[in-house]
Amino acid sequence: CVICGFIPLMKTLLLLRHAKSSWEDGNLADFDRSLNARGRSDAPRMGRLLAQYELTPDLIVTSAARRAATTAELVALAAEYPGDIHYTDELYLADPETFLDVARDTPDDVARLMLVGHNPGIEELVTGLAGRDERMPTAALACFQLAIDHWGDLSDETAAELLHLWRPKEL
């Protein structure tokens, strides 16, 4: 709460895999691949879902790869995200520990953080936090409630409850 300076207990972590990318131009580097038509449709759908469930993030951090960055931008627009998107090369093909490192660097006034990245790392992180195998197809969105007060306390041992996992084909 801005007025009282209260930082809410528990943090919410949203993990989003980038939307479906295009393989049309075989000369493009992997980092530079864009979204295909389905990806450009699924990303805003996930943003609208965030808005519908009042889960618009306080901060979005995305892989700087074109397909992830575009996904984050389309989701942010549809979710009416008011802040700046943070782009980082760290989340490009990141492993689960790198996702956790990025989250640990988040200011504590952020209650709801969304990280946008790639498989296999994001699926491995979702599976690890959920404690069971979970598929993360393109544009899938996992929502975790974390039993921490400070992002810096996040680890792979943190108690995490998978509140929901949305996959575009299941919506």
Side-chain angles (χ1 to χ4, degrees):
C1 154
V2 175
I3 295 169
C4 60
F6 173 72
I7 298 172
L9 301 178
M10 303 289 243
K11 299 293 186 190
T12 302
L13 179 62
L14 300 161
L15 297 170
L16 176 67
R17 182 176 173 202
H18 68 77
K20 191 79 174 157
S21 60
S22 173
W23 291 91
E24 208 169 272
D25 184 348
N27 295 322
L28 275 182
D30 179 72
F31 189 88
D32 298 322
R33 286 191 295 120
S34 62
L35 297 181
N36 69 13
R38 190 172 101 204
R40 287 189 306 274
S41 165
D42 284 346
R45 210 161 91 190
M46 300 316 273
R48 289 189 297 274
L49 187 132
L50 286 171
Q52 174 187 341
Y53 288 99
E54 297 181 1
L55 287 171
T56 299
D58 299 319
L59 177 64
I60 297 174
V61 181
T62 183
S63 159
R66 184 174 176 194
R67 62 192 180 274
T70 304
T71 298
E73 291 159 4
L74 292 171
V75 167
L77 186 65
E80 298 180 9
Y81 170 71
D84 293 328
I85 297 172
H86 294 255
Y87 302 84
T88 179
D89 290 337
E90 277 186 275
L91 290 181
Y92 177 60
L93 305 179
D95 61 17
E97 188 60 32
T98 303
F99 279 98
L100 295 176
D101 286 343
V102 169
R104 279 190 283 267
D105 287 341
T106 302
D108 282 330
D109 63 342
V110 171
R112 193 175 303 122
L113 171 65
M114 184 167 80
L115 301 178
V116 184
H118 311 263
N119 268 357
I122 203 157
E123 184 170 282
E124 291 168 359
L125 179 57
V126 168
T127 291
L129 290 173
R132 62 181 182 271
D133 285 342
E134 290 291 355
R135 285 182 321 99
M136 287 293 286
T138 52
L141 174 65
C143 178
F144 286 94
Q145 186 171 43
L146 306 173
I148 55 172
D149 302 332
H150 307 283
W151 288 108
D153 296 336
L154 180 62
S155 77
D156 56 2
E157 301 295 317
T158 297
E161 181 182 358
L162 179 59
L163 299 178
H164 213 291
L165 178 55
W166 295 277
R167 300 175 184 99
K169 285 187 175 180
E170 297 171 2
L171 298 177

